[in-house]
Every structure is written in C-alpha cells, then in structure tokens.
Amino acid sequence: MAARLALLANGWTVHTADTDEAYDILATDPLSGQHVKIQVKTIRQRMDRGGDLVVYAKKGNGTTYDRADADYIVGVWAVDGEVPRVYMFENRMIGEYWASEARASERWVELSIALNRGNLSEVTDVSA
C-alpha cells in the first residue's frame, strides 16, 4: 500500500488487475503516459554490512525479474514508528540492489508519500 500511495502522490495512475500477474502494480507514468510494470519489494537494512540498504529482487523460484516481468522495482523501507520511505529504480535484471543509507536518494529515486496536489491531473472543487 505504501508503494501505491507513493506512486499516486507523485502523479502516477495506478491500475488494478482482475487477474493474477507477474508484476505487483501496473501504472501509467505521469510524464510519458507509458504503462509500466512494477515489482514491489521490501528494503532491508544490513547492519552486518555497515547499515547498507538492500533490495532482494528475486522471484519465488530464485530467478531474477526480466523485462517481461517488471520495468521497475519499488523498494519500501518501513522502520517501526516512522513514515515508510519508498524508492523506485529501473529493473536491471539483477538479484540484489544495494545502497548506503546516505546515498540511497542519489542512486534511487525517492518517492514521497506526502500528497502533492500539483501532481494530480484532476482536482475536484468540493466547495462548489
């Protein structure tokens, strides 16, 4: 849900599927209008690796996601008591994506979950 909220808050159109698909989310890019497939994964912080953040991007059978499965990976980092942080990056068809906490926003695109009404294509005037 955090990934969907972050996409919506950043102007993406998030679609729902009536059938099971290989990807978690189908969304429309607000700039290009292109439909993209997104796989959502949990970000884990590896304290044994200096606190680096890692996204394990493998399917249940242990293989990596190819382009037919997902165009982008969205990682959600949820720490108890804090607002989740959501990062999006291109699927490079590898099994692990790493970034230090300090460089995560440089390596990956951070999607705020704060609603930015300027990103919404239609805003309904409720005072009318």
Side-chain angles (χ1 to χ4, degrees):
M1 295 311 293
R4 289 178 185 275
L5 176 60
L7 288 164
L8 289 167
N10 285 276
W12 289 73
T13 302
V14 176
H15 306 277
T16 57
D18 292 329
T19 60
D20 287 334
E21 301 294 341
Y23 52 85
D24 292 322
I25 298 172
L26 179 66
T28 304
D29 184 315
L31 300 176
S32 70
Q34 179 183 9
H35 290 62
V36 297
K37 297 170 284 196
I38 300 170
Q39 186 64 39
V40 179
K41 294 294 184 184
T42 299
I43 296 175
R44 295 185 181 2
Q45 189 169 25
R46 294 279 306 265
M47 300 318 280
D48 62 325
R49 299 286 299 265
D52 281 356
L53 305 178
V54 63
V55 176
Y56 297 106
K58 291 186 179 180
K59 298 186 257 186
N61 64 6
T63 62
T64 59
Y65 293 96
D66 61 29
R67 297 286 181 176
D69 298 318
D71 301 300
Y72 292 96
I73 308 290
V74 168
V76 178
W77 186 23
V79 177
D80 285 345
E82 295 183 19
V83 175
R85 294 181 72 180
V86 180
Y87 295 94
M88 184 173 184
F89 43 89
E90 188 174 348
N91 175 13
R92 296 189 337 242
M93 297 175 285
I94 59 177
E96 296 180 6
Y97 297 84
W98 289 80
S100 67
E101 183 176 351
R103 296 204 48 213
S105 292
E106 295 172 15
R107 299 200 61 201
W108 304 332
V109 175
E110 186 167 6
L111 301 175
S112 171
I113 63 171
L115 181 62
N116 181 350
R117 294 190 188 277
N119 289 337
L120 302 177
S121 60
E122 293 182 64
V123 177
T124 304
D125 183 0
V126 295
S127 64

